[in-house]
Amino acid sequence: MTAKSSILDPAITEYIADSTVREHPTLRELREETARLSQWRMAIGPEQGQLMALLAHTIGARRYLEIGVFTGYSSLAMALALPSDGYILACDVNEETTAVARRYWEYAGVAGKIDLRIAPAAQTLEGLRRENVEPFDMAFIDADKVNVDTYYEYALDLVRSGGLILVDNVLWDGAVLDESVDDADTRALRAISFKAGRDNRVEVALVPVCDGLLIARKK
Ligand code: SAM
Ligand code: CA
């Protein structure tokens, strides 16, 4: 089994995968199909899917908000983890890659839990806030990095107290440490970790799984 991290020693990643990763067969098939795409690295690895499922179970999550779907690995992992009355609101702009996601949601029998909104996420999130929807238990931010702070603020509004806000790729292949790297994505990812780290509205941990996962619990 291969897992995905360019931050950890590959041997450590391999050990984690061999010792503890349990991947649903449909997730494995989706991962293998996604691996054939040039952008395959955008998908989370199986060890992260397993961590997110464990977190969802720990907090008794039923309503999950996903910002950035791609071919559906993280949303499928979460749909399989949520109870039968679980609900996922998923945001993306790409019809083509989310068509792959829809196919796997159907195949795994979880499509009925997932409400995919094809529109810029900020527009969808503004709509949810205006409609005053029932709060979410958990949100996963994994779309355009330059807007990560906007999504974090929306998530803080839309997630219940005691719920979790996860931000992906906060180690950005190690680029966040490299002072010579100063592009907008890297700056936004550095800024969100330092902001969340000092944000009294949340408890926080930065976990070096895959490309770095920030976990914030709304107080
Ligand atoms: N969470 C997915 C997984 O683990 O398989 C990976 C998501 S991928 C890193 C980022 C996704 O964000 C892409 O599918 C892209 O189309 C989407 N995206 C980019 N800009 C967006 C925007 N403004 N609103 C919503 N989605 C956007
Ligand atoms: Ca990601």
Side-chain angles (χ1 to χ4, degrees), residues 42 44 142 145 168-169:
M42 295 220 299
I44 61 166
D142 190 21
K145 304 309 175 191
D168 202 29
N169 303 102

Side-chain angles (χ1 to χ4, degrees), residues 42-44 68-70 73-74 92-94 119-121 140 142-144 151:
M42 295 220 299
I44 61 166
V69 173
F70 186 43
Y73 193 96
S74 48
D92 208 293
V93 285
N94 191 318
F140 181 45
D142 190 21
D144 47 327
Y151 302 147

Side-chain angles (χ1 to χ4, degrees), residues 53-105:
L54 184 153
L55 291 171
H57 291 147
T58 303
I59 65 162
R62 194 177 62 77
R63 289 172 59 81
Y64 166 73
L65 172 65
E66 180 161 291
I67 305 165
V69 173
F70 186 43
T71 58
Y73 193 96
S74 48
S75 50
L76 179 56
M78 289 298 294
L80 291 167
L82 293 184
S84 52
D85 67 343
Y87 170 76
I88 294 179
L89 193 142
C91 308
D92 208 293
V93 285
N94 191 318
E95 291 277 9
E96 203 178 321
T97 53
T98 56
V100 177
R102 285 186 200 271
R103 181 153 49 79
Y104 278 86
W105 298 338

Side-chain angles (χ1 to χ4, degrees), residues 4-56:
K4 188 179 67 97
S5 174
S6 51
I7 292 159
L8 296 182
D9 180 335
I12 298 278
T13 302
E14 190 82 33
Y15 180 80
I16 293 169
D18 289 345
S19 58
T20 54
V21 169
R22 307 171 196 177
E23 191 176 34
H24 188 285
T26 310
L27 282 170
R28 177 187 284 256
E29 279 183 48
L30 171 55
R31 184 163 54 82
E32 287 169 356
E33 177 166 343
T34 301
R36 296 199 283 272
L37 303 178
S38 60
Q39 292 175 303
W40 66 272
R41 282 178 56 86
M42 295 220 299
I44 61 166
E47 66 274 47
Q48 184 172 332
Q50 192 165 317
L51 171 62
M52 289 170 59
L54 184 153
L55 291 171

Side-chain angles (χ1 to χ4, degrees), residues 94-174:
N94 191 318
E95 291 277 9
E96 203 178 321
T97 53
T98 56
V100 177
R102 285 186 200 271
R103 181 153 49 79
Y104 278 86
W105 298 338
E106 291 285 349
Y107 182 42
V110 296
K113 292 182 186 175
I114 306 174
D115 178 2
L116 174 64
R117 307 283 180 92
I118 298 289
Q123 194 179 303
T124 301
L125 297 169
E126 180 57 31
L128 296 174
R129 185 157 71 179
R130 236 184 280 129
E131 289 161 31
N132 214 5
V133 294
E134 185 186 333
F136 290 89
D137 301 297
M138 197 163 155
F140 181 45
I141 300 173
D142 190 21
D144 47 327
K145 304 309 175 191
V146 78
N147 284 318
V148 69
D149 185 65
T150 301
Y151 302 147
Y152 176 81
E153 288 298 330
Y154 274 117
L156 269 168
D157 274 355
L158 293 166
V159 165
R160 67 168 163 90
S161 170
L164 300 177
I165 298 159
L166 312 184
V167 183
D168 202 29
N169 303 102
V170 288
L171 295 176
W172 209 223
D173 245 340

